[in-house]
Amino acid sequence: MKNSHELSLRRAEESVLKIKDDVKNAPSRQSYHFMPPAYWMNDPNGVIFFEGKYHLFYQFHPYAPVWGPMHWGHAVSSDLLHWEHLPIALAPSETYDTDERGGCFSGSAVYENGILSLMYTGAVRVNGEYVQTQCLAQSKDAVHFEKYEGNPVVKKPDWVDSTDFRDPKVFKHDDVWYMLVGAKDKDKGKALLYRSYDLKSWEFFSVLAESRGELGFMWECPDFFEINGKYVLFISPMGVSDRKTVYLIGDMNFNTGKFNYHSIGEIDWGFDYYAPQTLLNDKDQRIVVAWANEWDWMPWFNGFGPTNKDNWCGSLALPRTVELVRDSRLKFKPIDQLKDLRTLAREYSKSLVTQKNSLEIQAGDNIHCELKIIIDLAKTTSDIIEIVLRASEKYQTVITCNLKTGEIYFDRNNSDGISTGIRRCPLLLVNKNELMVHIYMDTCSVEVFTDDYITVLSSNIYPPNDSNKIFVKAVNGDAAIKSIHTWGLKSVW
Ligand code: FRU
């Protein structure tokens, strides 16, 4: 058993080794977002901070830039930006996790007494039926993992669909281990809670929370944490049309195993942000990371992007700190360490952008950069403010702030000849004198933060390098710029 895992890991490492230098120099690669050394990645898994380092595991297919039998890639960092790739942590090798359409699916990590434990979903087909079970792998050096001989440690209850029982999130409360598992019960998504004293023997405790139809048929990748006395559940629900990463805020009762939520919000409204997972660091900061791409079952899906021609596909969105506001909303701020990447700072003074005269701005090389725009709403007469990114004669990506309807749009219909669609969400303008829009751009991603970081839209675009102009435009009146700060952002690789 140990041998077959080692063999399968070695084969995967050899595959990556052959191509990783090409990917390192690929023109399409991200410059400061995490991406795999080569080939395919999706969800972040087992994100954790211990002994001064952040560990990131992720869904990894080390043989091609498309989804395939899932491995767990592994990387380590001391600032969440500069990553060192470590040996692959998990590879399919056992009857419960080896299948062309399965493998070692998503999960989480916990660290105690010098042992790093990974809990993951073994996904296989048995007699044509999908079977998903929860499995344990442990390590004493945080690099080499041994699968537990008693795997799987949790099998689904009878009433759960066999295809959909996955993505265990383990956490400790009052000396008891808990594991939350995403599940489908007929047409309702649920988060099931299990208890254990040793991570090996588990008992079913409760349905922590469930969809009553309004929150989809399957909850992927649940995450659950305490923040300022409240509890927060993250889910990536399937089947809720427009929504795909949802947070619920409420109170947890550990006697009944029930989470009663009273507030609900969207973690990110963009096209490309899925399966968010959080960790707590030594500064007590809750930090969220997520896969920056979209699944083929999402209504707006139009491919995973053209980067597979350079032998990679998938990256992570920027790590963000999570803060609770008035017990009912969350803020997602790009981590402070990003300021260390800033270069070529520029400042644009107060000015008026008119319908006739748009403002062209420069931010580093205009491709790997950051912009913070503040609009004085009291002095603004226009209905619409457009921030036009990666523009040329042929292409443009438009962020539209509609002050009349109170909405923000991310329009990538003309971004690159490949991407399509518009994402739309509320812009919170009540009692506001200023509109702040903070944007991060990398080779093929744009992340837009507004409403004091309550609203975020993250999406991928693939324009050519000469599509690199940036404008601020006003429609139907004038836009009063209070300030614009821009920076280039240095590469981390
Ligand atoms: C979410 C997901 C998980 C699953 C993994 C498979 O993106 O579908 O539910 O464990 O990806 O790679």
Side-chain angles (χ1 to χ4, degrees), residues 56 125 147 150 179 206 226 293 347 356 458 465 469:
L56 162 72
R125 284 166 301 181
K147 295 179 184 172
M179 167 164 54
S206 63
E226 190 181 355
N293 216 308
E347 189 176 345
K356 281 210 184 103
S458 304
N465 276 355
K469 291 197 179 303

Side-chain angles (χ1 to χ4, degrees), residues 41-44 245 273-277 288-292 315-318:
M41 78 169 285
N42 53 287
D43 314 356
T245 47
Y273 192 90
Y274 195 64
Q277 287 294 300
V288 59
V289 293
W291 176 44
S315 61
L316 288 190
L318 283 182

Side-chain angles (χ1 to χ4, degrees), residues 165-214:
F165 178 60
R166 60 179 174 273
D167 309 339
K169 173 75 189 189
V170 179
F171 60 95
K172 197 166 215 182
H173 178 80
D174 281 350
D175 286 333
V176 180
W177 290 114
Y178 289 86
M179 167 164 54
L180 206 53
V181 186
K184 171 171 183 278
D185 174 9
K186 291 173 204 76
D187 55 353
K188 310 268 191 303
K190 296 193 170 174
L192 311 191
L193 192 59
Y194 289 79
R195 283 192 294 209
S196 170
Y197 290 101
D198 60 2
L199 296 173
K200 292 173 178 161
S201 133
W202 292 90
E203 61 163 9
F204 175 74
F205 180 31
S206 63
V207 174
L208 179 108
E210 62 192 297
S211 163
R212 292 189 152 76
E214 82 291 18

Side-chain angles (χ1 to χ4, degrees), residues 138-436:
Q138 294 184 304
S139 171
K140 286 192 183 132
D141 62 2
V143 176
H144 304 94
F145 292 85
E146 251 180 64
K147 295 179 184 172
Y148 172 52
E149 66 226 355
N151 276 344
V153 292
V154 174
K155 290 186 178 162
K156 72 167 190 76
D158 290 347
W159 45 272
V160 162
D161 281 29
S162 68
T163 331
D164 294 295
F165 178 60
R166 60 179 174 273
D167 309 339
K169 173 75 189 189
V170 179
F171 60 95
K172 197 166 215 182
H173 178 80
D174 281 350
D175 286 333
V176 180
W177 290 114
Y178 289 86
M179 167 164 54
L180 206 53
V181 186
K184 171 171 183 278
D185 174 9
K186 291 173 204 76
D187 55 353
K188 310 268 191 303
K190 296 193 170 174
L192 311 191
L193 192 59
Y194 289 79
R195 283 192 294 209
S196 170
Y197 290 101
D198 60 2
L199 296 173
K200 292 173 178 161
S201 133
W202 292 90
E203 61 163 9
F204 175 74
F205 180 31
S206 63
V207 174
L208 179 108
E210 62 192 297
S211 163
R212 292 189 152 76
E214 82 291 18
L215 280 176
F217 60 79
M218 167 63 190
W219 287 3
E220 294 194 312
C221 303
D223 192 5
F224 193 59
F225 55 88
E226 190 181 355
I227 187 163
N228 301 352
K230 284 280 165 188
Y231 273 83
V232 174
L233 176 65
F234 277 10
I235 48 170
S236 296
M238 299 174 86
V240 202
S241 100
D242 210 32
R243 313 186 77 168
K244 39 105 185 86
T245 47
V246 171
Y247 66 78
L248 307 165
I249 303 173
D251 301 294
M252 177 63 192
N253 184 335
F254 279 95
N255 296 322
T256 59
K258 290 284 175 207
F259 168 62
N260 297 108
Y261 59 88
H262 48 67
S263 306
I264 176 163
E266 197 73 17
I267 303 170
D268 189 300
W269 295 87
F271 291 101
D272 297 290
Y273 192 90
Y274 195 64
Q277 287 294 300
T278 72
L279 61 86
L280 193 67
N281 69 11
D282 57 345
K283 296 186 196 83
D284 253 357
Q285 289 174 309
R286 179 63 57 181
I287 291 167
V288 59
V289 293
W291 176 44
N293 216 308
E294 59 205 64
W295 279 126
D296 41 7
W297 52 261
M298 293 176 185
W300 53 88
F301 177 77
N302 81 337
F304 296 106
T307 63
N308 55 359
K309 69 176 184 333
D310 287 335
N311 284 309
W312 70 278
C313 186
S315 61
L316 288 190
L318 283 182
R320 303 161 188 178
T321 53
V322 183
E323 286 169 35
L324 182 67
V325 200
R326 295 186 305 276
D327 281 1
S328 61
R329 291 268 198 178
L330 295 179
K331 276 189 190 182
F332 302 98
K333 284 192 187 151
I335 51 167
D336 254 1
Q337 295 91 298
L338 276 160
K339 291 186 182 141
D340 298 340
L341 301 185
R342 285 175 175 171
T343 170
L344 300 170
R346 280 198 176 79
E347 189 176 345
Y348 292 78
S349 51
K350 273 193 193 148
S351 61
L352 212 57
V353 176
T354 62
Q355 174 117 1
K356 281 210 184 103
N357 286 314
S358 57
L359 176 67
E360 180 168 1
I361 53 182
Q362 191 75 31
D365 65 0
N366 281 9
I367 295 176
H368 314 93
C369 59
E370 178 187 350
L371 305 118
K372 196 167 182 182
I373 301 173
I374 300 180
I375 309 283
D376 184 336
L377 290 176
K379 296 194 180 125
T380 293
T381 55
S382 66
D383 295 341
I384 289 171
I385 297 161
E386 287 178 350
I387 303 164
V388 182
L389 308 169
R390 300 295 302 266
S392 58
E393 298 265 291
K394 208 163 165 199
Y395 300 121
Q396 59 173 16
T397 296
V398 188
I399 313 301
T400 304
C401 302
N402 191 324
L403 306 177
K404 214 169 174 184
T405 61
E407 284 172 315
I408 182 162
Y409 301 82
F410 191 116
D411 181 345
R412 60 176 189 181
N413 276 324
N414 296 309
S415 289
D416 46 28
I418 306 166
S419 309
T420 50
I422 298 177
R423 291 290 286 169
R424 178 175 73 105
C425 73
L427 194 57
L428 311 175
L429 294 170
V430 178
N431 299 329
K432 294 267 174 72
N433 299 321
E434 286 176 1
L435 168 70
M436 180 283 297

